[in-house]
Amino acid sequence: MSDLPKPDEFLDTIDHKPPPKGWMDTPTQIKPGMYCYASNPKSVEYVGLPNARQWNPLDDDWGLPENWRQILHEGFKERLDRFRSIKVFMDICVRCGACADKCHFFIGTGDPKNMPVLRAELLRSVYRNDFTTVGKIFGRLNGSRKMTLDVLKEWWYYLFQCTECRRCSVFCPYGIDTAEITIMGRELLNLLGLNIDWIATPVANCYRTGNHLGIQPHAYKDMLDFFVDDIEEVTGVRVEPSFNKKGADVLFITPSGDVFADPGTYTAMGYLILFHYLKDMGLDITWSTYASEGGNFGFFTSHEMMKRLNSKMYAEAKRLGVKWILGGECGHMWRVIHQYMDTMNGPADFMETPVSPITGTRFENAASTKMVHIAEFLADLIKHGKLNLDPSRNDHLKVTYHDSCNPARGMGLLDEPRYVIQNVCNHFYEMPPNTIREQTFCCGSGSGLNAGEDMELRMAGGLPRANAVKYVHEKHGVNMLSCVCAIDRAVLPALMEYWVPEVDVTGLCELVANALIIPGEKKKTTDLRGEDLPGMEDEDV
């Protein structure tokens, strides 16, 4: 962060004027601060991806295999044959530009190659040259070009300046899913070993130990035990989580970021408090120290890797013999579950359609995946009056809500989180309509771009979201940004610190736990973060 210019100076560097030359004649310059480090060869090799080696994006020689063009061509052809959608997306775009100003990276950088239409055109130009008759005949006149080393480096640079958020797809009149184009492009790059380390290493860790951070089962349990102590200090109540319990009714899976990174840790404490509260009502739930990751960085690598990492959750559910799965606050976990699970690993017929043991609600939307989002579960509990809540315990907070891209656009989870927040907080304010719900702006750091070395890219990509937060901060005094995504909770604090330093970040279950009146609790004078609750020092619980 210290290497970045001041926010006002940063804004002065954004130039949306067209470049003097056409995009094919504008060379790509790989700029430090705008890219993530190259993948560690050990991580690439561990998960069986090809061409593992040491390389540096700033070097002229990327250590490519001699037949790298043939590898790309054959990989492209295979995916065109396998995924009809990709061929359709390659052919039907009319370059209308409806998506151009919808991308947070184009807004924040001014780089035309960050327009979704042009980022996709980087691949379409090679597609036309290699796979269409008109492109082969007319060449550049038809917008086609041959694959060269410069083109390859351009692919890598800009495909990793896309968070696959799909905001552009909302505005495309043809429904082109640019995120799918990015996924395919990254798959092709992986054939040459051209991944980034903040994706490759979490994938390898998850494949090896069950979570992105490579944490062993005993360390995972130890961290939750620390939370148990912290909860007792704040509430006076000792919670007792269950681990790896065979025959439990429900398996709970959440991102490892909630267990090992602030402010997600407070969200994890919220889970523990909620499950303790519901235990006597019939919730028989267990955590797994093996399937200890809901997030799926395979989503940012390839369809096959996504499938491999998703399967571990269901393998653990089968091993433990649970009836269904309750999922925590994560982003890409829920797009994978909602949009890919059935064709990749499902249907999960060895489990039952989820039924809340407390309200009796049958979650028909999860009849195939057997997995319920914590926000749905909470909203159902509140609707049926099963939680004893005191929203005034959150009165020190003025809250707005960030629709995390994958749950919102990918899953349609729009109203349930808001319903929960409005029942646990007295002060809730929406950001402008064109920045929320289906049109929500991305955090600017998803899709594996949440590293430290690409901070300039992250602050540029997160500018539209920060600008909307700044609006409600200045108009309503908002001081807390809530969300239901672990990556958001990990990256939004840095974004807020840079653009809107008066605003902090929280998860949904932290707010719920603050408001929840727990049987046997002591006089509550602080929230889960240990911050004083104004006026609570004289309150009798």
Side-chain angles (χ1 to χ4, degrees):
M1 294 287 282
S2 60
D3 296 334
L4 293 176
K6 299 295 183 183
D8 290 343
E9 297 171 354
F10 195 110
L11 292 173
D12 290 338
T13 66
I14 303 172
D15 184 5
H16 290 95
K17 295 178 183 177
K21 297 182 179 180
W23 70 269
M24 284 193 188
D25 297 318
T26 303
T28 296
Q29 295 180 336
I30 298 177
K31 179 184 174 185
M34 297 292 287
Y35 72 91
C36 297
Y37 294 149
S39 50
N40 186 321
K42 291 182 179 179
S43 299
V44 174
E45 187 175 15
Y46 187 85
V47 293
L49 291 173
N51 297 304
R53 68 198 180 285
Q54 202 77 41
W55 64 285
N56 189 327
L58 296 180
D59 291 344
D60 292 333
D61 183 1
W62 282 12
L64 300 171
E66 290 185 6
N67 64 334
W68 66 269
R69 289 180 180 83
Q70 179 185 353
I71 292 172
L72 280 185
H73 179 84
E74 292 175 355
F76 211 149
K77 182 178 185 304
E78 177 190 343
R79 283 154 183 79
L80 289 169
D81 293 340
R82 182 181 176 190
F83 301 111
R84 183 172 180 271
S85 59
I86 294 298
K87 190 175 189 310
V88 171
F89 294 159
M90 290 290 105
D91 287 332
I92 66 173
C93 177
V94 295
R95 272 77 76 197
C96 69
C99 64
D101 62 344
K102 308 306 186 297
C103 176
H104 47 284
F105 282 121
F106 174 63
I107 295 172
T109 66
D111 188 337
K113 292 179 185 178
N114 271 323
M115 294 179 182
V117 58
L118 189 42
R119 188 185 295 112
E121 200 71 9
L122 304 181
L123 276 73
R124 283 195 188 99
S125 58
V126 175
Y127 162 78
R128 293 190 194 100
N129 182 79
D130 289 6
F131 301 103
T132 70
T133 302
V134 176
K136 291 176 180 177
I137 295 173
F138 290 99
R140 186 166 173 147
L141 289 174
N142 186 245
S144 66
R145 59 178 180 168
K146 295 181 178 180
M147 173 55 75
T148 66
L149 183 58
D150 288 339
V151 171
L152 178 67
K153 292 185 176 183
E154 187 178 56
W155 276 23
W156 181 85
Y157 192 51
Y158 288 102
L159 287 173
F160 287 104
Q161 290 187 38
C162 170
T163 48
E164 303 174 13
C165 81
R166 302 172 71 240
R167 188 173 195 265
C168 52
S169 304
V170 173
F171 297 91
C172 177
Y174 289 93
I176 295 172
D177 192 337
T178 307
E180 290 291 329
I181 297 175
T182 295
I183 291 171
M184 191 203 73
R186 289 188 180 184
E187 284 197 23
L188 296 178
L189 293 173
N190 269 288
L191 297 177
L192 303 178
L194 298 177
N195 208 322
I196 62 174
D197 197 48
W198 199 237
I199 293 177
T201 294
V203 164
N205 286 340
C206 198
Y207 197 60
R208 181 172 62 252
T209 70
N211 60 71
H212 294 155
L213 301 176
I215 303 300
Q216 298 290 339
H218 65 278
Y220 189 86
K221 181 180 181 301
D222 286 347
M223 195 65 194
L224 287 172
D225 287 341
F226 289 138
F227 294 158
V228 169
D229 293 337
D230 291 341
I231 290 169
E232 185 174 20
E233 185 176 340
V234 172
T235 67
V237 175
R238 187 81 178 173
V239 303
E240 297 178 354
S242 164
F243 298 99
N244 306 318
K245 179 184 175 183
K246 287 193 174 183
D249 291 336
V250 181
L251 170 63
F252 179 67
I253 300 179
T254 195
S256 58
D258 282 347
V259 180
F260 293 97
D262 289 343
T265 53
Y266 303 112
T267 299
M269 292 167 67
Y271 300 146
L272 291 167
I273 291 172
L274 175 69
F275 300 157
H276 172 83
Y277 182 93
L278 298 175
K279 187 176 181 180
D280 291 338
M281 298 185 188
L283 182 65
D284 181 15
I285 193 165
T286 191
W287 299 62
S288 170
T289 58
Y290 299 96
S292 52
E293 181 64 70
N296 192 326
F297 271 44
F299 182 37
F300 314 139
T301 307
S302 70
H303 289 83
E304 182 59 33
M305 193 61 67
M306 185 197 320
K307 177 180 179 179
R308 286 165 69 179
L309 297 189
N310 184 70
S311 66
K312 73 184 187 308
M313 299 191 297
Y314 287 89
E316 181 68 347
K318 193 169 189 177
R319 184 183 77 87
L320 295 177
V322 299
K323 294 178 180 178
W324 53 280
I325 304 173
L326 180 64
E329 299 181 32
C330 182
H332 43 287
M333 170 172 77
W334 285 104
R335 188 180 174 205
V336 172
I337 293 298
H338 187 69
Q339 297 190 332
Y340 296 93
M341 164 61 192
D342 271 352
T343 53
M344 289 194 312
N345 304 110
D349 291 338
F350 60 91
M351 288 188 284
E352 302 174 6
T353 298
V355 176
S356 171
I358 299 160
T359 66
T361 297
R362 183 179 176 89
F363 294 93
E364 293 291 352
N365 60 308
S368 179
T369 65
K370 310 299 190 290
M371 199 162 177
V372 175
H373 194 289
I374 189 73
E376 300 174 280
F377 187 66
L378 280 167
D380 179 62
L381 290 169
I382 293 172
K383 180 181 178 182
H384 287 86
K386 299 300 182 180
L387 300 183
N388 188 7
L389 300 168
D390 179 4
S392 69
R393 292 181 173 184
N394 283 316
D395 276 355
H396 58 304
L397 304 177
K398 292 186 176 181
V399 182
T400 191
Y401 178 68
H402 163 66
D403 289 277
S404 303
C405 301
N406 286 310
R409 274 189 289 269
M411 188 186 177
L413 191 75
L414 304 170
D415 295 317
E416 292 88 346
R418 288 174 167 81
Y419 178 77
V420 173
I421 293 171
Q422 289 167 342
N423 277 276
V424 300
C425 297
N426 289 320
H427 308 293
F428 174 69
Y429 304 93
E430 289 277 21
M431 287 180 274
N434 62 337
T435 71
I436 59 173
R437 301 179 75 86
E438 293 92 341
Q439 298 185 38
T440 185
F441 273 113
C442 181
C443 67
S445 302
S447 183
L449 304 186
N450 51 319
E453 63 268 19
D454 65 335
M455 194 60 73
E456 183 176 345
L457 175 67
R458 289 172 51 185
M459 294 304 104
L463 173 59
R465 168 46 74 224
N467 194 44
V469 175
K470 186 176 182 179
Y471 173 82
V472 289
H473 168 67
E474 293 178 347
K475 184 174 182 179
H476 302 293
V478 163
N479 58 9
M480 186 61 79
L481 175 61
S482 59
C483 59
V484 288
C485 173
I487 285 184
D488 285 336
R489 283 189 291 281
V491 304
L492 285 173
L495 188 72
M496 293 299 102
E497 180 185 348
Y498 187 74
W499 291 113
V500 201
E502 302 86 358
V503 177
D504 212 336
V505 179
T506 182
L508 188 67
C509 283
E510 179 185 351
L511 297 174
V512 172
N514 280 339
L516 193 61
I517 301 174
I518 314 167
E521 68 179 16
K522 69 178 184 180
K523 182 178 179 180
K524 199 169 186 180
T525 59
T526 69
D527 61 15
L528 286 179
R529 302 188 184 196
E531 297 175 356
D532 292 335
L533 298 178
M536 294 298 184
E537 60 274 4
D538 298 323
E539 179 185 283
D540 291 326
V541 178

